[in-house]
Amino acid sequence: VQWLEKMWLPLDLEGKIWIPIFAYGETLKKFSLIGQNEDTILFFIGDCPTNYQLPITSYYFPWLPRDDFWDLIDLADISALRGEISSLRGLMSGRPYLWDMYKGLGGWNQEDSRGFLDFISAKKEYAKLHDRINSGQEWNIADILSIRDDWQRVSREEIPDFRKTLEKTIDKLGFSL
C-alpha cells in the first residue's frame, strides 16, 4: 500500500497480479496483451509498446527513481527485466523474473544465457520462454503467467558467486557494473 500511495496509484491494485516490464524496445515490439485481464496489472518502465493502446490495467513510467524501481521488483509477482544490473536486482529480490538480455552485434549471448538458466535451475517451460524472448520471438502476458510458478528460488548466499561470474564476463567485454 505504501508504494501505491507514494506513486499516487489506486490502492485497489494491492490484491492484483503485478508485472513490471522493463524491456528493450525491440523486445516490446514482440509483446502482446494475450492473457490480460482485470486482475493483471502491467507496469511499463522506460519504454512501452507502440503497436497497440495500453489497457486501463497498465501504467507507464518513462522513468522511476532506482529505489522505487527496486521496490516495485520486490513487490511484483513476476517481472520482465532488461540488462545485467536489473537482472542482478531481480535475483536479489528472490522474486520470479524473466531476463531480456542485452543483444549486441551478434545477438544475445547464449553462453551467458545457459549459465543463467543453469544457475536458477530453470524448468523446461521457463527456459523456452526465456529463449523466445531473447531470440526476438512473440511473447505475451499468458506466457509470463504460465511460468510464474516455475521459478526456482535462488538463495541469497548463491548470489555473490553469480555476481562475480557476471562481473568477470562483463569485464571481458569492456563493460563494468
Side-chain angles (χ1 to χ4, degrees):
V1 172
Q2 290 176 340
W3 191 87
L4 291 170
E5 287 174 342
K6 183 178 183 180
M7 297 293 117
W8 297 88
L9 294 171
L11 299 181
D12 65 348
L13 298 181
E14 185 179 10
K16 311 286 184 178
I17 297 170
W18 290 16
I19 306 174
I21 300 178
F22 179 53
Y24 293 110
E26 291 300 312
T27 305
L28 285 174
K29 288 179 184 175
K30 301 293 185 170
F31 179 71
S32 78
L33 299 174
I34 295 171
Q36 174 79 15
N37 63 48
E38 64 277 351
D39 290 330
T40 306
I41 309 301
L42 301 176
F43 299 92
F44 290 97
I45 297 102
D47 293 310
C48 70
T50 56
N51 49 336
Y52 51 80
Q53 186 174 351
L54 293 180
I56 60 170
T57 54
S58 298
Y59 295 88
Y60 170 56
F61 296 98
W63 179 82
L64 272 178
R66 184 184 64 205
D67 290 341
D68 293 334
F69 181 48
W70 291 167
D71 289 343
L72 178 57
I73 292 170
D74 290 343
L75 295 167
D77 292 280
I78 186 169
S79 303
L81 304 172
R82 76 180 188 202
E84 290 79 7
I85 302 283
S86 295
S87 179
L88 184 57
R89 180 59 190 162
L91 279 173
M92 291 173 64
S93 77
R95 308 293 298 168
Y97 75 99
L98 292 158
W99 185 13
D100 181 18
M101 298 176 72
Y102 177 76
K103 291 137 186 97
L105 291 175
W108 54 295
N109 187 319
Q110 293 185 29
E111 184 179 328
D112 287 349
S113 173
R114 288 290 143 294
F116 168 72
L117 294 172
D118 288 346
F119 179 75
I120 65 167
S121 303
K123 293 183 181 175
K124 185 178 178 180
E125 292 306 312
Y126 181 96
K128 277 194 213 176
L129 180 57
H130 171 85
D131 289 349
R132 280 183 32 220
I133 290 170
N134 285 291
S135 64
Q137 297 178 40
E138 302 286 328
W139 62 299
N140 58 55
I141 297 169
D143 292 328
I144 295 171
L145 294 174
S146 74
I147 57 91
R148 182 173 61 149
D149 296 328
D150 282 351
W151 179 257
Q152 299 296 314
R153 188 175 195 104
V154 177
S155 74
R156 288 188 178 261
E157 291 77 37
E158 294 176 280
I159 292 171
D161 291 335
F162 180 74
R163 179 177 169 223
K164 288 176 188 172
T165 302
L166 185 62
E167 284 175 339
K168 287 178 188 175
T169 302
I170 292 171
D171 286 344
K172 279 191 239 176
L173 301 172
F175 300 102
S176 70
L177 294 174

